[in-house]
Amino acid sequence: MTEEKIFVWVGFFNDQRDFDQYIAQTPGLEPDKEVEDDEEAAMSLFCEDIDLPQYDEAFAKGIFLADQQELPKALAKLFHNPALRQTVDTVLHHPNRPPFNALLLINAHASTRYYRGGARPGAPIRFVGCFEDL
């Protein structure tokens, strides 16, 4: 069995539309085109805020929560491993966690090999952590 790293962020958006625009692919970028190392174009506003120019969208997931009551269902949808789901849920319920209504994650792959997480100052998202799914 191999270990898989999962990078998780929470965010706060005005509504579903704002969230969708945040994670939408940048106009003009071709989905299958490799971004050159010296290119500055990020795949989305989300990518720009985390300073990760590209990733395979098949490894990314995001959910907007219209209500905090939706959190257990969203966690079940994002994390199939019950132990991992419980770990992330515990971290999300930390008393110092800022309010959030969106969850975003990227499963590790070649483009995130050296990525450590975080978000640019002023971004509508906050890094929750990197978790291992065994």
Side-chain angles (χ1 to χ4, degrees):
M1 196 179 315
T2 62
E3 134 189 339
E4 182 176 284
K5 293 184 183 222
I6 301 174
F7 298 88
V8 180
W9 295 264
V10 294
F12 193 83
F13 299 86
N14 292 326
D15 52 31
Q16 178 77 49
R17 183 174 167 244
D18 282 352
F19 176 72
D20 291 343
Q21 287 177 335
Y22 185 72
I23 62 173
Q25 182 178 328
T26 303
L29 283 184
E30 299 171 30
D32 296 329
K33 179 184 177 261
E34 287 288 323
V35 177
E36 298 296 325
D37 288 341
D38 59 350
E39 275 190 51
E40 294 292 324
M43 287 178 55
S44 65
L45 292 173
F46 171 57
C47 284
E48 189 171 319
D49 280 345
I50 63 173
D51 199 25
L52 185 65
Q54 69 174 357
Y55 59 86
D56 184 338
E57 289 186 10
F59 293 96
K61 296 179 184 175
I63 294 181
F64 178 79
L65 306 168
D67 185 310
Q68 283 293 317
Q69 303 291 337
E70 297 176 5
L71 184 58
K73 189 186 286 186
L75 290 173
K77 188 174 183 178
L78 293 172
F79 304 101
H80 299 291
N81 177 333
L84 177 59
R85 184 169 48 237
Q86 181 59 47
T87 299
V88 173
D89 185 52
T90 299
V91 171
L92 292 176
H93 282 91
H94 189 279
N96 294 334
R97 174 87 36 229
F100 65 92
N101 62 3
L103 295 170
L104 300 104
L105 65 86
I106 297 177
N107 292 333
H109 60 96
S111 294
T112 57
R113 188 169 70 182
Y114 302 109
Y115 184 66
R116 299 288 184 248
R120 293 180 188 204
I125 58 171
R126 297 291 172 260
F127 186 60
V128 172
C130 180
F131 302 89
E132 293 179 1
D133 189 7
L134 304 174

